Amino acid sequence: RLGFTIPMSSDSARNIGHVPQAASSQNTLMELVEHELKRCLDHAAEGIHWVAPDGTILWANQTELDLLGYSADEYIGRHIAAFHVDQQVIDDILGRLTRGETIQQYEARLRHKDGSVRIVRINSNVLWRDGEFLVLFQERTLYSHYAVRVASDGSRVGSPKRLPQDSPDFGA
């Protein structure tokens, strides 16, 4: 289970796709929709996560976890800013989203568990209900990553590696 209820009306649930006649009760219908939606998101080709209004990561798909090298236990429950290299970038993103803007193709640098940097393009918006920020939806596409090494003086040195989407390393 997702750990929270997907805010969806029963009319919306019926419009998602074919729902078997056996799913007659509202609870059964919503459980079926939640299960299928989660399955779809879990297997998405893009990294996807949901973030609470306070910045806490509520859920992430396996693609997102693989992109940054973390297990679900290491990633979910932490603040989203912990994975951004540039604090001003995540502050700008969260500020825009809080003001109701939609983010499209916003480039950001994320820190992989191994210390390397992943450059991603972020598409994001917020699900609002009655003017209340419920959850932030964010999708990330890997654009490139930096192989980071430590120079003799202790500084970090990186070299960009552009990855086409059809590369076997794309998303790795």
Side-chain angles (χ1 to χ4, degrees):
R1 297 196 44 96
L2 294 175
F4 60 94
T5 303
I6 296 173
M8 182 183 303
S9 71
S10 59
D11 289 338
S12 297
R14 277 191 286 278
N15 291 330
I16 284 179
H18 175 70
V19 178
Q21 292 296 332
S24 59
S25 75
Q26 174 104 6
N27 287 340
T28 303
L29 174 65
M30 293 309 290
E31 287 171 10
L32 175 65
V33 169
E34 182 176 335
H35 171 76
E36 291 303 314
L37 179 58
K38 183 180 184 310
R39 199 167 69 101
C40 177
L41 294 172
D42 280 342
H43 296 92
E46 304 291 343
I48 301 171
H49 65 258
W50 295 344
V51 174
D54 68 358
T56 302
I57 300 167
L58 300 172
W59 172 85
N61 71 356
Q62 191 60 51
T63 305
E64 174 95 0
L65 297 172
D66 293 345
L67 173 71
L68 297 176
Y70 290 92
S71 70
D73 289 340
E74 295 171 313
Y75 193 69
I76 296 169
R78 293 182 62 190
H79 196 280
I80 192 67
F83 303 97
H84 279 260
V85 173
D86 306 300
Q87 184 65 44
Q88 69 276 15
V89 169
I90 186 59
D91 289 346
D92 182 49
I93 290 170
L94 293 175
R96 288 175 184 222
L97 293 168
T98 301
R99 291 188 300 273
E101 295 180 35
T102 294
I103 303 292
Q104 294 182 333
Q105 298 297 308
Y106 194 111
E107 190 170 293
R109 297 184 311 149
L110 303 177
R111 177 86 50 220
H112 188 278
K113 184 178 178 178
D114 69 8
S116 63
V117 174
R118 302 292 196 254
I119 298 176
V120 298
R121 303 276 181 166
I122 296 174
N123 295 305
S124 186
N125 62 6
V126 172
L127 176 63
W128 300 87
R129 183 183 294 151
D130 299 325
E132 182 183 349
F133 181 131
L134 294 180
V135 65
L136 175 151
F137 294 93
Q138 195 164 87
E139 168 263 323
R140 297 174 182 192
T141 302
L142 180 66
Y143 179 62
S144 68
H145 75 269
Y146 287 89
V148 177
R149 61 182 172 81
V150 178
S152 59
D153 65 358
S155 63
R156 297 174 79 78
V157 179
S159 59
K161 179 180 178 185
R162 301 274 186 234
L163 298 174
Q165 287 190 350
D166 60 353
S167 165
D169 292 328
F170 187 81

